[in-house]
Every structure is written in C-alpha cells, then in structure tokens.
Amino acid sequence: MEQQAVKQQVLVPYDFSKAAANALLCAVELASLFKCEITVFHALNKKNLGLYANENEAESAVKNKLVAIANDIISSYNVAVNVYVFKDGVNQVINKIYERINAIAVIAGLNSQKSPYNYFSPGAIVTDYRNLRVPVIVVHDEMPRKGFFGGMVLPLDFNRESKEKSAWAGHISALNKTKVTILTRNYKDSYFAASLRSNMALVIKLYANLDVNYQMVNEADIKCDIDKYAVDYAWYNKGDMVVIMATKEVAVDDLLFGLKEKKIIDNKYKLPVMLINPRDDLYLPCGC
C-alpha cells in the first residue's frame, strides 16, 4: 500500500505574543490560498519552563491554550489547525520538523518589545534559518494596513538568485488575484544591466504562464540597494509585503555591519517581509 503524502502545512511557532497572534492570521490567509493546513507549536525550553511549576504542568497548560486558539481559528475561518508542544529550542524544532510536516512556509512573529520569551529577533531570523528550503514570512506586532498578501512588491536586480523569489510572489498573487509590483533600477555597468534584462525576461515569461497581474516600475535614479528601497516604495505605494532573497555569500562587511536583510525585516513601517534563502533545492509552490 502506498503511503499517503503529508498534507501541506503553514508552520507557525507560537510564543503567545501579539506578533505570534498576527503570524497565525497571516498563516490563515496563506493556508486559505493554498488549500492547506496550519501547524502551530510552542517550544518549551529553559527560558520559559520557569513560568510553570514543572514540565508536566507546562505541557498541559500550553497544550490547552493552543487547542483553544486552534478551535477558534477552525470555527472562524474553516482552516484545519494542528497543535504540538515540544521541549526544545524553537530554531531546533523548526529545522527538525518543517520538511517532515511538508511545510510550505514558516511564519515568524517579530515583537517590537524585547522579551526573553520571544521566539524571534531580527538577528536570529537571518542566521538561524539560512538552511531552510521554504520562505520565512516575518510579520510584526502591528497588523498590516490591509491584508498580508494583497500587494506584493518584488525588487529585482542583476543577481542570478534575484529571480528565484519571483515564483513565490507570482503564485501567491495569482491565487489571490492581486497585482505584483516588479521594482527595478538602472545600472551603468553593461554586464549588470544585461543581467537585469535577462532576469526581467524570465520573470515576465513566468508570469505570463501563471497569468499573473503585474506592473513594472523602474526607479532609474536610486543609488541604494533595491531591496532596501523596496520597503520605502511599498509603504508609500500601499504595498502589503516585500519579497527578498537572503544574502548568498556573506562578506566581511556583512560580518562587521550585519546582513542587509536584518534591517529590512525589522523595518520601521513594520511591513511584512518574505525572506527566501538562495538554494539549488529551493521549495517552490505548486504549479510553478
């Protein structure tokens, strides 16, 4: 007898914060688009076990809270939710189970107020999950102005990896029947300019196959990194989410000043950001 494939999941680490609650709502939107389930888990570790009398009480109390939250989501949105409690660090749990449960994305809730019980920090997001084959979608403790996936902004540059993120932005927008904004800039260097044109041609071909509604916006005069500029552009042009690639090759400047994606995901507007690792075996959404 053939073993039945595990149904696709959206993975939500839940630390009972405001950002985690928003992450769960983001997961509902994504699961509704992909017709898949949600897996919510809480990780009990040295930091938070001290909140309870003992491990058994901790596991029981957390499980009951998660079940109540899951039941509310199920009844309100008609989306299946699975609940788990693990005794391990949150990053260890994510890296161990995301492939086993057939996760299509991890939704990370980033809180503005620092707490030892928060699961995520900007630094941890860009360092602890660099090997994931699926996107990490970072949301904040403030809800976006509209939805999470209504207007995706896709900054496109000359790097070969830049086009890898287009499949996710395009497929989500096609399912959601919304528009992708492809954001580019000019390059004086002829090689960079040619590489950008090649990337643009591939993305346009892909979006034609997916029947994606998109617009091309060329910000010719900008001098800064296109990913950083995309956050400001999204905010002032009512974009809902910026889609970026993680840095592939970490240079000395990155070690000294930090990876650029750290500042992007921790943007002052608290815009959601989809962060995708450049990998040869990158997971792509169905139909791409």
Side-chain angles (χ1 to χ4, degrees):
M1 180 181 295
E2 293 186 5
Q3 187 174 2
Q4 189 174 2
V6 178
K7 194 172 180 65
Q8 289 180 323
Q9 309 284 326
V10 181
L11 183 59
V12 183
Y14 203 87
D15 58 13
F16 297 102
S17 66
K18 176 59 178 175
N22 292 344
L24 187 52
L25 292 177
C26 178
V28 168
E29 280 195 33
L30 193 62
S32 298
L33 289 174
F34 281 89
K35 310 300 181 189
C36 65
E37 299 180 352
I38 297 172
T39 287
V40 180
F41 78 84
H42 184 80
L44 290 170
N45 50 54
K46 293 179 180 179
K47 290 182 179 179
N48 55 26
L49 273 173
L51 298 172
Y52 305 91
N54 53 61
E55 287 190 8
N56 290 336
E57 179 189 307
E59 189 169 4
S60 177
V62 168
K63 188 70 174 287
N64 289 338
K65 291 179 183 178
L66 289 181
V67 168
I69 292 168
N71 287 338
D72 183 56
I73 292 295
I74 293 167
S75 61
S76 299
Y77 301 100
N78 195 29
V79 176
V81 182
N82 307 295
V83 168
Y84 298 97
V85 179
F86 296 100
K87 297 175 184 177
D88 207 345
V90 63
N91 60 320
Q92 286 86 358
V93 173
I94 292 172
N95 282 285
K96 285 177 183 176
I97 73 167
Y98 83 96
E99 289 186 307
R100 191 183 311 167
I101 66 169
N102 200 18
I104 64 171
V106 177
I107 318 294
L110 186 62
N111 290 286
S112 55
Q113 296 295 322
K114 292 183 179 180
S115 165
Y117 308 117
N118 289 343
Y119 279 171
F120 297 103
S121 67
I125 290 171
V126 302
T127 57
D128 293 351
Y129 305 103
R130 290 183 61 82
N131 291 323
L132 295 185
R133 295 178 58 240
V134 299
V136 177
I137 300 174
V138 182
V139 303
H140 295 259
D141 47 13
E142 289 184 12
M143 285 288 286
R145 293 167 294 189
K146 302 191 296 293
F148 289 95
F149 303 102
M152 305 192 81
V153 176
L154 177 71
L156 197 65
D157 63 15
F158 61 87
N159 289 300
R160 181 181 66 83
E161 297 80 21
S162 182
K163 60 184 179 293
E164 295 177 15
K165 58 193 171 186
S166 62
W168 271 101
H171 198 64
I172 289 174
S173 297
L175 291 173
N176 207 26
K177 295 180 172 51
T178 50
K179 181 184 291 185
V180 179
T181 297
I182 303 173
L183 194 62
T184 63
R185 52 162 290 190
N186 286 354
Y187 293 100
K188 293 182 179 179
D189 185 284
S190 58
Y191 175 79
F192 290 166
S195 297
L196 173 60
R197 288 194 298 270
S198 176
N199 285 347
M200 289 170 61
L202 289 170
V203 173
I204 290 170
K205 182 179 179 180
L206 172 65
Y207 283 8
N209 291 334
L210 292 174
D211 194 25
V212 176
N213 182 13
Y214 69 92
Q215 64 176 350
M216 302 286 297
V217 176
N218 179 249
E219 297 288 349
D221 297 328
I222 66 169
K223 306 299 181 184
C224 66
D225 179 86
I226 191 68
D227 286 354
K228 294 178 180 177
Y229 180 80
V231 177
D232 289 319
Y233 178 90
W235 177 254
Y236 289 108
N237 292 274
K238 299 181 180 179
D240 292 331
M241 180 177 291
V242 177
V243 186
I244 65 171
M245 298 295 297
T247 302
K248 185 175 184 180
E249 302 292 340
V250 179
V252 175
D253 286 351
D254 298 319
L255 297 175
L256 291 174
F257 303 109
L259 295 166
K260 67 175 182 179
E261 51 264 35
K262 179 179 176 181
K263 293 182 179 178
I264 293 172
I265 65 176
D266 194 26
N267 64 85
K268 62 184 178 181
Y269 311 113
K270 298 191 176 183
L271 279 173
V273 175
M274 177 182 286
L275 178 66
I276 301 173
N277 293 314
R279 291 172 56 106
D280 293 334
D281 60 347
L282 180 69
Y283 174 91
L284 294 176
C286 298
C288 291

